[in-house]
Amino acid sequence: MDVSKTKTSFYRRLYVAWLIDSGAATSVPALMAATGMPRRTAQDTLAALADLDIDCQFAQQAGERNNAGHYLIRDWGAIDKQWIDAHLPQIKALLGYP
């Protein structure tokens, strides 16, 4: 199946937002473990969520230093999270994620 870079990039962003919102992966190392993506790709994908109007924030852990904490989705913007839930197997298969 031939899939465009635009579609894979879009689905990767949706999947990363879903992982964060579901609590399955709320840090860069956890995203790397869940998807197998390199650190830089995970970081770039997190930064690109704002392009979809997905409000993803880093919550610093109280009393900790050096970015100890987790990411959370504060607002999905125009994205329908229920659509992602319903199509999760297809999204993961298209991206080649376990």
Side-chain angles (χ1 to χ4, degrees):
M1 177 165 76
D2 199 21
V3 181
S4 72
K5 285 184 178 183
T6 301
K7 188 171 192 171
T8 56
S9 176
F10 178 67
Y11 278 12
R12 184 179 306 109
R13 293 174 192 184
L14 294 181
Y15 186 54
V16 163
W18 181 88
L19 285 169
I20 293 167
D21 197 54
S22 69
T26 60
S27 67
V28 172
L31 289 170
M32 292 168 55
T35 63
M37 66 175 77
R39 175 175 290 280
R40 186 66 193 174
T41 302
Q43 292 169 329
D44 289 348
T45 302
L46 283 168
L49 292 178
D51 293 342
L52 300 178
D53 287 333
I54 296 174
D55 184 7
C56 179
Q57 300 290 318
F58 186 77
Q60 183 74 31
Q61 197 168 344
E64 296 290 331
R65 296 174 33 193
N66 299 327
N67 294 329
H70 63 278
Y71 288 94
L72 56 103
I73 302 297
R74 294 198 188 273
D75 186 8
W76 282 89
I79 302 297
D80 181 2
K81 183 183 166 207
Q82 284 71 37
W83 184 92
I84 300 168
D85 290 335
H87 294 87
L88 196 59
Q90 297 96 312
I91 292 170
K92 289 171 64 175
L94 184 133
L95 295 171
Y97 293 156

